[in-house]
Amino acid sequence: MYYIERNKLTKTCAIDLKAMNGYFFDVYKYFFDKGYFEAAFQGSEFKERRLTPNPVAYFFAHTGNSKVFPIEKYYLQYDKNTLFTVIEILHEHIRNFVDHTSFVEPEQKEFRNMINQYLRYYEHGYKLIKDGGITNLTYTGLNELLKTDLPVDTDDEVIEQIETAVHLFFHFSANNEQKKKAINILADALEPLRKKMLDFTSNEHDKMIFGIVNSYKIRHNNDKQFDEYNKKVWYEWMFHYYLSTVHAVLRLTK
């Protein structure tokens, strides 16, 4: 780790879309030259290409943009949504094409590590995560909660709920409906823990915690719901509130 990274000065830097497109192409070309997209674009005599029926049609079907492939021809024309979608597609289909008879496990981690060196500098910062989605980076203390390991005995369903909620809420294209769904998922994750929560809280706390999602048009849609509030601000607060509550209850229980 070098000086700027070691002293956490990188977040003061920023690059624009043109620069991000250029760095993206550098990363793409690096893996393309290693043959890691042969499986996606060409296939072999033993296995058809992964992007069917062909790369041009595949990229168009997923971006609605006919000027995506060949990447080396169009990358400088990509808007943000096209760029991020292309990155997610490449991450999903990257393969180390060892020989002409077999396909090995994806080299996704290497791709993520390299592209994230540049995504973190674009706008307010983004990150390509393990499940293949590009999410927003935040520079608040609460963001550290996303990196906190859950207790080892955490139920698999709860882990899946948390991972799904994080992906939904922080995906670069998330709208208010998707963010509301993410909050709802975290509240659902708390439901089986309500009895355990009473060991650390009270009935009044229980009403307060679940009153938010039950009264502010998160879980329900009826004339008793309060809907006149700044969702951009309060959805973010709700998400972090429920995420921190899930973490706290699980750790306290352990």
Side-chain angles (χ1 to χ4, degrees), residues 1-13 120-121:
M1 184 177 292
Y2 297 112
Y3 180 86
I4 288 180
E5 295 172 305
R6 191 168 63 250
N7 290 279
K8 298 182 179 180
L9 302 174
T10 54
K11 67 182 181 183
T12 62
C13 309
R120 62 178 174 166
Y121 293 115

Side-chain angles (χ1 to χ4, degrees), residues 105-122:
E105 288 299 311
E107 301 298 320
Q108 293 176 327
K109 184 177 181 180
E110 186 181 359
F111 181 80
R112 286 197 306 274
N113 289 342
M114 190 171 293
I115 196 68
N116 282 336
Q117 292 181 77
Y118 307 103
L119 286 173
R120 62 178 174 166
Y121 293 115
Y122 178 53

Side-chain angles (χ1 to χ4, degrees), residues 25 28-29 32 68-76 78:
F25 183 74
Y28 163 75
K29 188 69 164 52
F32 179 87
V68 176
F69 193 87
I71 291 172
E72 62 272 17
K73 180 177 180 180
Y74 295 116
Y75 74 95
L76 285 176
Y78 292 173

Side-chain angles (χ1 to χ4, degrees), residues 79-200:
D79 59 19
K80 174 183 172 180
N81 291 334
T82 300
L83 173 65
F84 281 11
T85 302
V86 170
I87 290 173
E88 291 183 351
I89 290 171
L90 293 177
H91 175 264
E92 179 180 353
H93 295 285
I94 191 171
R95 294 290 186 279
N96 184 352
F97 198 14
V98 177
D99 55 45
H100 294 287
T101 61
S102 64
F103 295 88
V104 299
E105 288 299 311
E107 301 298 320
Q108 293 176 327
K109 184 177 181 180
E110 186 181 359
F111 181 80
R112 286 197 306 274
N113 289 342
M114 190 171 293
I115 196 68
N116 282 336
Q117 292 181 77
Y118 307 103
L119 286 173
R120 62 178 174 166
Y121 293 115
Y122 178 53
E123 292 184 338
H124 302 295
Y126 296 90
K127 184 177 183 179
L128 177 62
I129 59 177
K130 187 176 180 180
D131 72 359
I134 294 178
T135 62
N136 294 284
L137 286 179
T138 59
Y139 293 107
T140 65
L142 283 175
N143 185 52
E144 292 303 310
L145 202 54
L146 303 179
K147 304 173 185 176
T148 302
D149 290 333
L150 296 167
V152 293
D153 57 350
T154 301
D155 186 81
D156 288 344
E157 183 178 356
V158 175
I159 294 174
E160 184 177 4
Q161 287 173 309
I162 293 173
E163 290 178 344
T164 301
V166 169
H167 175 77
L168 271 176
F169 195 91
F170 286 100
H171 193 268
F172 75 92
S173 63
N175 56 34
N176 279 341
E177 282 300 309
Q178 291 165 318
K179 291 183 177 183
K180 180 170 73 173
K181 176 64 175 176
I183 297 165
N184 202 352
I185 290 172
L186 291 176
D188 288 345
L190 278 175
E191 279 290 353
L193 304 172
R194 289 184 80 163
K195 289 184 179 180
K196 293 180 181 179
M197 288 171 61
L198 292 176
D199 293 337
F200 319 110

Side-chain angles (χ1 to χ4, degrees), residues 194-245:
R194 289 184 80 163
K195 289 184 179 180
K196 293 180 181 179
M197 288 171 61
L198 292 176
D199 293 337
F200 319 110
T201 60
S202 67
N203 286 326
E204 288 303 312
H205 286 124
D206 179 83
K207 292 178 182 177
M208 179 178 67
I209 290 168
F210 289 95
I212 297 170
V213 288
N214 290 332
S215 302
Y216 287 81
K217 208 173 181 180
I218 301 297
R219 277 182 162 177
H220 308 294
N221 187 9
N222 55 51
D223 56 8
K224 296 181 181 180
Q225 300 296 303
F226 183 73
D227 191 41
E228 298 299 320
Y229 59 94
N230 187 323
K231 294 179 176 60
K232 180 179 180 181
V233 173
W234 287 107
Y235 278 3
E236 185 169 353
W237 177 82
M238 289 179 194
F239 178 85
H240 287 298
Y241 175 72
Y242 281 101
L243 179 62
S244 60
T245 302

